[in-house]
Amino acid sequence: MRTAQWSVTGLMICLAISYGCHTTEHAEQPQWVQVPIADLSSVEGKWDGLMRRVPPERRDDWLTVTIQSNGRYQFSSLRTIGVFSGHGEFSVNEGKLQSSSERGTVEAVLYQAGSQRMLKAKGRAADGTEYTAEVKPVK
């Protein structure tokens, strides 16, 4: 009889613990919607986030981009082998940011989810290396 009591008690403890460890539903992730860029001033400011090489070769790099209202931009990417940086000038074409130079091309699209904004960019260096980046405004 004593063994049965311990079994029931053990079962009750396990149920109480498992109920207390119940995973809660995660907050619903915001739905990102593409937003056309009307003019350069709407994306003016400092943005940062992750940049990835396609196909992935190593860890992601941290990218910071500063865009001026006239479209001029500066960027820097912190890498394990040093800093990769440059500058250029964006124009707006069909609601997207575009830039092209002898060093490569980049196209960026603006997304919004509630009050959050994000630029998703795709780039190709002159040597054919492709990159993607997702950057958000620095607060």
Side-chain angles (χ1 to χ4, degrees), residues 23-93:
T23 58
T24 57
E25 293 294 320
H26 292 284
E28 191 171 313
Q29 294 296 321
Q31 184 66 30
W32 292 97
V33 178
Q34 185 175 337
V35 178
I37 299 170
D39 57 50
L40 293 163
S41 64
S42 66
V43 292
E44 178 182 8
K46 189 173 185 178
W47 302 72
D48 64 12
L50 293 178
M51 181 174 72
R52 296 174 178 91
R53 185 179 173 150
V54 180
E57 188 175 84
R58 60 185 186 289
R59 294 186 303 187
D60 301 335
D61 297 326
W62 190 255
L63 176 68
T64 300
V65 181
T66 303
I67 304 172
Q68 298 176 12
S69 61
N70 62 4
R72 292 180 190 228
Y73 66 88
Q74 294 182 329
F75 72 91
S76 63
S77 174
L78 302 177
R79 299 174 161 189
T80 54
I81 60 171
V83 176
F84 173 58
S85 63
H87 57 86
E89 190 168 336
F90 281 124
S91 61
V92 176
N93 186 13

Side-chain angles (χ1 to χ4, degrees), residues 90-124:
F90 281 124
S91 61
V92 176
N93 186 13
E94 296 182 7
K96 300 174 185 178
L97 292 179
Q98 294 183 334
S99 179
S100 182
S101 73
E102 67 280 349
R103 292 181 69 186
T105 61
V106 65
E107 180 178 89
V109 178
L110 180 63
Y111 287 85
Q112 191 163 346
S115 63
Q116 299 179 57
R117 298 185 324 143
M118 172 176 46
L119 285 171
K120 287 187 177 186
K122 292 181 182 181
R124 178 182 291 247

